Amino acid sequence: MQDPKIHLQEVLKHIRQQAGLSLDKAAVKTGVSKAMLGQIERGESSPTVATLWKIATGFEVSLSSFLEPFPEMIKGVTIRTADEIRQQPGNEGMLVAPIFPFDERLGFEFFELTFLPDYSRVAEPHEKGVFEQISVFEGQMEILAEGVWQKLKKGQSIRFPGDQEHGYRNVESKNAVVHCLIFYPRKA
Ligand code: MN
C-alpha cells in the first residue's frame, strides 16, 4: 500500500484543483483552516479522521478517497483484511479500516471503525440524501441521530440520516468496534 500520507497529499490537491478552488476558498468550503489545508497538501500534517471527514464533506467526496486510491474495477469476489489496512489518522482516538472504499458504481463505502474510550465527536451534516448504518460488534457505542443519543450494545445496528448533525461517542472504558456503511445518493 502507498504511504497514506502521500496519497492524502496528492488526492487533496487533485480534488481542490478539480473544483477550481484556491486554498482560501477551500478553507471556507470545508471549515478547515487554509494553513491546515496547505500543510496537508505539503505532507507536513497528519490530520485526524474528524478533520478528514470535514474536508470530505465540504468537497462532497467520500472519506475513503482520502485513505487509499480509488479501487480498481472490482469484479467478483474481493477479500479484505482489516488488520492489514487499519489506520489511525492523526493518532487520535479513532482507527479506521476502509474495508470497501467508496465505489461510485455501488454508491457506498464500508469501514471498520474502532473508537477508543472517551472518544466523542459531533459531525457536520453530509450532503443531502446520505445515510449511515452502524453495527456494533465489540463494546458499546452511543450514536447521535435526529437529535437523540442512542445507546447501542454489541449486536445492535442503527441506520440514520447523515445529512443532518450526527455524532459518535464511546463512554465505556474499553474500545468499541463497529462496521459502518455510508450510502451516498447518485449525483445528478
Ligand atoms: Mn458521518
Side-chain angles (χ1 to χ4, degrees):
M1 197 170 80
Q2 193 192 14
D3 181 345
K5 202 163 152 187
I6 292 172
H7 171 69
L8 170 62
Q9 191 177 337
E10 288 170 355
V11 83
L12 176 58
K13 206 179 287 177
H14 177 76
I15 287 171
R16 181 173 67 76
Q17 287 169 352
Q18 287 284 99
L21 294 177
S22 63
L23 280 173
D24 276 309
K25 290 204 172 124
V28 173
K29 204 170 164 67
T30 60
V32 174
S33 73
K34 177 187 172 182
M36 170 64 94
L37 291 172
Q39 281 169 17
I40 297 170
E41 287 191 6
R42 293 190 301 275
E44 295 166 7
S45 173
S46 300
T48 61
V49 178
T51 301
L52 290 179
W53 230 311
K54 259 185 165 171
I55 299 172
T57 302
F59 281 113
E60 298 193 356
V61 297
S62 62
L63 174 71
S64 47
S65 57
F66 289 123
L67 300 176
E68 66 173 67
F70 186 77
E72 292 302 312
M73 191 71 176
I74 296 170
K75 293 194 193 110
V77 177
T78 309
I79 293 178
R80 302 269 287 167
T81 304
D83 283 346
E84 293 168 4
I85 54 175
R86 196 178 291 113
Q87 305 177 22
Q88 189 176 13
N91 287 318
E92 58 140 18
M94 177 180 174
L95 283 70
V96 53
I99 296 179
F100 296 113
F102 180 72
D103 182 326
E104 62 190 4
R105 293 157 309 157
L106 302 175
F108 69 84
E109 55 187 339
F110 185 72
F111 300 104
E112 179 216 74
L113 304 175
T114 304
F115 298 92
L116 273 49
D118 299 324
Y119 183 90
S120 178
R121 179 172 82 95
V122 172
E124 307 70 33
H126 299 274
E127 64 194 271
K128 202 168 158 37
V130 168
F131 265 82
E132 296 193 24
Q133 185 173 300
I134 289 175
S135 300
V136 178
F137 61 93
E138 208 181 295
Q140 297 188 31
M141 275 300 289
E142 292 184 7
I143 300 294
L144 176 63
E146 295 192 324
V148 179
W149 283 99
Q150 304 282 359
K151 213 173 172 63
L152 295 174
K153 55 185 190 196
K154 182 176 171 173
Q156 289 191 299
S157 298
I158 186 171
R159 181 152 71 190
F160 58 93
D163 56 6
Q164 47 184 279
E165 190 179 79
H166 57 288
Y168 317 81
R169 71 186 182 199
N170 177 9
V171 299
E172 303 294 316
S173 54
K174 57 176 246 178
N175 289 359
V177 186
V178 310
H179 277 156
C180 172
L181 183 146
I182 304 186
F183 166 79
Y184 296 85
R186 205 167 281 276
K187 286 198 176 119

